[in-house]
Amino acid sequence: ARREAEEKSRKELEERLARSGGLRMPIQPFVTPVSASWQTRAQDTLRAAATTTLAKTIEGVDLRRHDFAKVVSSTEWLNDEIFNGSLMWLDQAINSAAGIKDVKRVTRKCLTMSSFFFKRLQDQGVARTQRTLRRYGVEKRNFLDVDTILLPICERAHWTLLVVRPSKRTVAHM
């Protein structure tokens, strides 16, 4: 009976993964509540001098008080540099965890584009974006080997995320 239950559970999981393009529900919450010490650190960013660099994104963009003011207060619009910086750190963490150090020589697992990429794609078309993709190590020859491409979109003051999974041949717009 236990084996039958395990087999049934396995088949249900396979069916769910097939329907979702390989996406699975997390085993535990992905985002946990912020601790009191981190809450204090976040609030301290609002008291920093306007010109003080509080952090840098993976691409070297300085993040200052006005950037963090968009994150700390729950009533503010999300800042594009915070959004882009967070996704770029995620990109680096995923590729690093997969052991990919040089994305030009080894096909990356995850590619995160900046929020400006979608606007460029709309304005200039696909041909003008190939150079950007090549800079990140993605070309025609290895495009279908990339596991996940994250493409943030901000239109009419609303953020969405396009998740392209070339290796699974799926697209999700969240």
Side-chain angles (χ1 to χ4, degrees), residues 9 12 22 25-27 63 81 89 111 128 142 144 154 166-167:
S9 177
E12 287 173 356
M25 295 299 294
I27 296 168
L63 299 176
E81 290 304 340
W89 282 111
L111 170 62
R128 292 288 188 95
N142 68 346
L144 293 176
C154 187
S167 65

Side-chain angles (χ1 to χ4, degrees), residues 7 26 40 127 131 142 162:
E7 183 64 24
T40 301
R131 182 172 166 226
N142 68 346
L162 191 65

Side-chain angles (χ1 to χ4, degrees), residues 106-165:
V106 178
T107 301
R108 63 193 313 134
K109 287 285 183 195
C110 179
L111 170 62
T112 300
M113 304 308 296
S114 93
S115 60
F116 309 110
F117 183 82
F118 184 74
K119 181 72 173 144
R120 189 176 330 131
L121 184 63
Q122 283 181 310
D123 294 344
Q124 300 174 356
V126 176
R128 292 288 188 95
T129 59
Q130 288 177 342
R131 182 172 166 226
T132 303
L133 291 172
R134 275 196 309 274
R135 192 169 5 124
Y136 291 111
V138 177
E139 300 176 36
K140 275 184 182 179
R141 67 174 173 74
N142 68 346
F143 180 78
L144 293 176
D145 297 328
V146 176
D147 188 49
T148 306
I149 299 172
L150 301 174
L151 181 59
I153 301 168
C154 187
E155 288 188 322
R156 294 181 298 280
H158 183 73
W159 284 100
T160 59
L161 184 65
L162 191 65
V163 180
V164 181
R165 304 203 61 211

